[in-house]
Amino acid sequence: MTETHYRACHLCEAICGLKIEVSGEEIISIKGDPDDPLSRGHICPKAVALKDIHEDPDRLRYPVKRLRADDGEDSWVEISWEEALDTAAEALLRANRDHGVDSIGVYLGNPSVHNYGMLTHQNHLFRWLRTRNRYSATSVDQLPHHLTSLWLFGHKSLFPIPDIDRSEYFLMLGANPLASNGSIWTVPDVKKRIKDLKHRGGQLLVVDPRRTETAELANEHLAIVPGSDALFLAALLNTLFTEGLTNPRALASFTQGLEEVAAAVVDFTPEYAEQHTGIAADTIRRIARDFAAADAAVCYGRMGVSTQRFGALCQWLIQLINIATGNLDREGGSLFTLPAVDQVPRTGPGGFDRHRSRVRGLPEFDRELPAAALAEEITTPGEGQIRVLFTGAGNPVLSTPNGRALDDALPQLEFMISLDPYINETTRHADLILPPTSPLEHDHYDIAFHINAIRNTTRYNPAIFEPAADKLHDWQIFTALGERVAKGLGEDPKDDAAPHELVDLGLQYGPYGKDTEHELNLDKLKAAPSGIDLGPLKPQLPERLMTADKQIDCATPAPLADLKRLAEEFSGDTPAPRLRLIGRRHVRSNNSWMHNYHRLVKGKARDQLLVHPKDLAEHELADGDRATLESRSGAVTVTLQASDEVMPGVVSLPHGFGHGRTGIRLHTARKHAGVSCNDVTDAAYLDDLSGNAAINGVPVTLKAAS
Ligand SMILES: Nc1nc2c(c(=O)[nH]1)N[C@H]1C(S)=C(S)[C@@H](COP(=O)(O)OP(=O)(O)OC[C@H]3O[C@@H](n4cnc5c(=O)[nH]c(N)nc54)[C@H](O)[C@@H]3O)O[C@H]1N2
Ligand SMILES: Nc1nc2c(c(=O)[nH]1)N[C@H]1C(S)=C(S)[C@@H](COP(=O)(O)OP(=O)(O)OC[C@H]3O[C@@H](n4cnc5c(=O)[nH]c(N)nc54)[C@H](O)[C@@H]3O)O[C@H]1N2
Ligand code: SF4
Ligand SMILES: [Mo]
């Protein structure tokens, strides 16, 4: 007998509604849920991989412990949860006692944000580990967005969301939602939404060194020299100010400091930007004028402008453009969400540079240090050196800059614990791997991504399969381990509610809860498995601001000062590198961890280095050649693919490959091993302001493989 289950996909930020047919233990089909008010039936090819994840024989079902062998041929043995949790707690307590709190390092990866129990319960462990050595994927990703939101709106998670369904003019930089399905912008079915924008006479402009799938669909593609976006954005602002095109509209009564910003960008003319960006001054002026004249316009930038040398400055300039033209908090511009479980008033706003990393002095953000510092904090002796590492839902060996150095550093640890279902490039170094239940064995409420969504909606779905009694969810692992650590420290761990109980409370006391017409609670959501529509985004300022004075102060000291670094970088004193490396995503990938499912990797290889034909000719190389791609920090051997998608001077390699290393247990991924882009990216090449990794725009050289 088949049963139908409903579920939001947790694999990417689009959180599409799914309809899953199950017969007994078997998944018969996974389709889009047309009744989901946000995704309207849309899905991408990854949704079906939920079945593959669930069934994957490589996925660990029980904890495993490393058995060390003298010949180096270590092996893994399954152990009980009791033994695993005791061993993990002992290792953490021992490090704490023998070497101090900072000797424990923590790295949390991207899926930890997609798994709501990991969000609600990670502090059941981490509150007992008072280490400053906390790291996450944030600092190889969206850190500049958080900083900008903290600076301007008073809270790290108050992200302005592009209101694409009502927009008339959309300026997009460094994002490829046709592959990524949107990021810091939960926008399922984005292709249709872009087409609708064009049909109603709106315009999409894409600024990207590569003519991406999204750029192909746009009205206009502007190829930009990687890392030069801040000059382009500053020149747009400069034009807006000098031509008298600014008009903060409704924001005027609670916004200050635009005059200081105008003064600070006075030298950043379109002509100056033209020299370094490759975008003509006239084009920049035209875009500024069209942007200011449009009924509703929005500027949005993502990975490509966050993970580069001026990531924080770029994100701040983008918001300044939206503010100066009155397009923030405006329908068709960008708007803040009001999610049913609203984390903003409940979580701390975040802070910046309250302490620094031990070895290189990189700034903290929200109690985390830049991931680019992790390897050196393991290998550099001294007080505060990391001796024991805990990783959860992350693969920093493949995902952080100069991952090869981290790969080499991990064996120096005294002990390593990984909360992960796979033995991969990172967890192969662990002493103990704690695997959680499969995603379909636990319930799901998206705590993280409704705050980025283009419409306010809410949905909760229970688990599809009942896990065996001897399996633990991620949140239960955090709780069980936290209990042991707390007791070892002589503390009393509080018995806390399960994730769904917290969501129930969040709903009842949230903006659509008890005291409102919606009266949301968990039972109400259970009765509406495709989700509940809470309507389009609405203007909410100044009420929604989390700044103490409910004002937006545009004259943020740090990015204003960073304009000087920008001018120095582009002073013309140092010759530009001949080639710069950028990344790329494919709709059937998901960072490093979804190459183990046959249906997502079959077909043409997609791990080649894209090189413009002109650069191939200049290097006396040809399509299909094997070549060495090298940077200051490392080299890999790649297969070349001639492509005029990338602009001359730019080469593109996807990240997340590099599965050829010994000791990993990913049978399908191994057959599509590729090389890791992050063996070439550079841990010293950062956005100096935020500490975010600059994995895009890295200077590289190319030569025939020997
Ligand atoms: N060169 C380059 N580098 C990049 C990027 C780039 O564009 N170019 N992108 C960056 C970005 S945006 C990001 S977010 C990072 C990602 O970096 P990471 O988060 O470090 O890497 P992922 O590949 O997402 O690793 C996910 C891990 O989580 C495990 N996992 C999956 N689901 C679960 C679960 O439910 N529970 C648990 N416990 N584990 C789970 C997987 O097995 C895998 O080991 O990479 C960054 N690195
Ligand atoms: N299919 C799939 N979906 C995903 C992921 C995945 O790995 N696969 N990862 C998820 C994650 S963790 C994230 S954070 C999001 C990312 O979501 P997006 O940011 O939308 O995705 P990317 O494809 O990384 O887009 C970045 C773009 O920036 C361009 N770029 C590179 N350097 C520069 C530059 O200097 N300037 C400008 N203007 N552009 C530049 C690149 O060519 C690329 O097109 O995607 C999420 N969704
Ligand atoms: S777009 Fe993202 S959320 Fe939607 S089905 Fe694909 S992976 Fe899942
Ligand atoms: Mo990401």
Side-chain angles (χ1 to χ4, degrees), residues 7-9 13-17 33-41 161 165 186-188 193 336-342 444-461 503 507 511-512 518 520 524-525 528-538 540:
R7 172 100 186 168
C9 177
E13 299 177 41
I15 57 173
C16 300
D33 177 357
D35 298 326
D36 181 295
L38 185 61
S39 63
R40 314 178 299 198
I161 304 307
D165 291 346
T186 287
V187 58
R193 295 179 200 272
F336 294 102
T337 57
L338 190 62
V341 175
D342 188 9
H444 186 65
Y445 183 88
D446 213 301
I447 289 187
F449 296 105
H450 283 297
I451 195 152
N452 302 343
I454 55 156
R455 195 174 176 90
N456 292 314
T457 68
T458 178
R459 74 182 277 166
Y460 168 83
N461 298 114
V503 163
L507 289 166
Y512 312 87
H518 299 277
L520 289 186
K524 228 169 164 168
L525 261 58
S530 294
I532 295 175
D533 190 17
L534 301 167
L537 307 188
K538 292 185 192 128
Q540 296 182 73

Side-chain angles (χ1 to χ4, degrees), residues 77-399:
V77 57
E78 273 185 13
I79 57 172
S80 70
W81 275 111
E82 209 54 31
E83 183 185 348
L85 293 164
D86 286 346
T87 312
E90 271 163 33
L92 293 169
L93 286 163
R94 196 168 50 239
N96 211 36
R97 190 184 58 231
D98 295 351
H99 307 294
V101 287
D102 292 331
S103 67
I104 298 172
V106 172
Y107 176 92
L108 281 189
N110 170 276
S112 69
V113 189
H114 293 263
N115 177 326
Y116 89 112
M118 287 190 90
L119 288 176
T120 55
H121 281 61
Q122 54 179 256
N123 270 335
H124 287 177
L125 173 63
F126 298 147
R127 71 166 156 246
W128 309 115
L129 314 176
R130 296 189 182 86
T131 175
R132 290 183 165 194
N133 272 312
R134 291 194 59 169
Y135 303 81
S136 80
T138 292
S139 50
V140 278
D141 188 352
Q142 81 286 4
L143 173 49
H145 295 253
H146 289 303
L147 261 183
T148 300
S149 290
L150 176 63
W151 286 331
L152 293 173
F153 313 127
H155 194 283
K156 64 184 177 191
S157 307
L158 267 183
F159 299 123
I161 304 307
D163 189 22
I164 184 165
D165 291 346
R166 292 176 288 191
S167 195
E168 297 302 327
Y169 193 91
F170 200 126
L171 178 60
M172 183 185 292
L173 295 93
N176 185 14
L178 256 65
S180 71
N181 287 297
S183 185
I184 315 218
W185 188 34
T186 287
V187 58
D189 206 7
V190 66
K191 190 173 182 180
K192 170 138 197 324
R193 295 179 200 272
I194 292 174
K195 285 183 172 167
D196 288 349
L197 166 98
K198 288 169 70 186
H199 279 151
R200 56 175 191 270
Q203 292 213 52
L204 172 67
L205 282 78
V206 170
V207 182
D208 198 302
R210 185 179 143 235
R211 196 177 64 250
T212 60
E213 299 83 342
T214 310
E216 289 278 6
L217 190 63
N219 300 73
E220 189 171 348
H221 169 224
L222 299 139
I224 190 164
V225 174
S228 70
D229 300 76
L231 282 182
F232 169 77
L233 293 162
L236 283 178
L237 260 187
N238 171 298
T239 308
L240 292 170
F241 286 121
T242 54
E243 297 193 3
L245 300 173
T246 60
N247 177 7
R249 297 170 217 264
L251 307 174
S253 64
F254 52 87
T255 299
Q256 299 115 31
L258 279 172
E259 306 73 28
E260 281 101 315
V261 178
V265 296
V266 80
D267 294 332
F268 291 89
T269 60
E271 281 70 23
Y272 179 18
E274 175 178 320
Q275 287 171 38
H276 302 282
T277 59
I279 300 177
D282 285 349
T283 307
I284 298 175
R285 290 208 167 83
R286 167 176 50 90
I287 294 171
R289 290 170 194 152
D290 289 351
F291 194 95
D295 277 342
V298 60
C299 183
Y300 159 80
R302 198 45 201 102
M303 268 295 288
V305 283
S306 290
T307 51
Q308 53 147 287
R309 290 268 291 144
F310 294 93
L313 184 57
C314 282
Q315 292 301 340
W316 180 82
L317 288 166
I318 284 171
Q319 292 316 324
L320 260 294
I321 290 170
N322 289 326
I323 292 169
T325 55
N327 280 298
L328 174 75
D329 201 42
R330 183 187 189 198
E331 287 184 8
S334 61
L335 290 157
F336 294 102
T337 57
L338 190 62
V341 175
D342 188 9
Q343 295 295 317
V344 170
R346 266 169 244 264
T347 52
F352 180 53
D353 205 9
R354 292 165 297 188
H355 61 89
R356 293 191 163 213
S357 70
R358 178 181 61 109
V359 178
R360 221 191 312 168
L362 299 178
E364 153 271 1
F365 172 76
D366 202 23
R367 308 280 174 220
E368 289 179 357
L369 292 166
L374 179 55
E376 68 205 24
E377 293 295 337
I378 295 171
T379 56
T380 312
E383 198 171 328
Q385 179 184 10
I386 298 175
R387 316 284 187 125
V388 171
L389 182 69
F390 179 97
T391 71
N395 193 0
V397 164
L398 293 193
S399 54

Side-chain angles (χ1 to χ4, degrees), residues 8-18 30 32 39 42-48 50 114 177 179-182 187-189 587 589-590 594:
C9 177
H10 72 293
L11 293 173
C12 88
E13 299 177 41
I15 57 173
C16 300
L18 307 176
I30 299 180
S39 63
H42 171 80
I43 52 166
C44 86
K46 284 188 297 299
V48 191
L50 282 173
H114 293 263
S180 71
N181 287 297
V187 58
D189 206 7
V587 73
S589 75
N590 198 14
M594 294 193 70

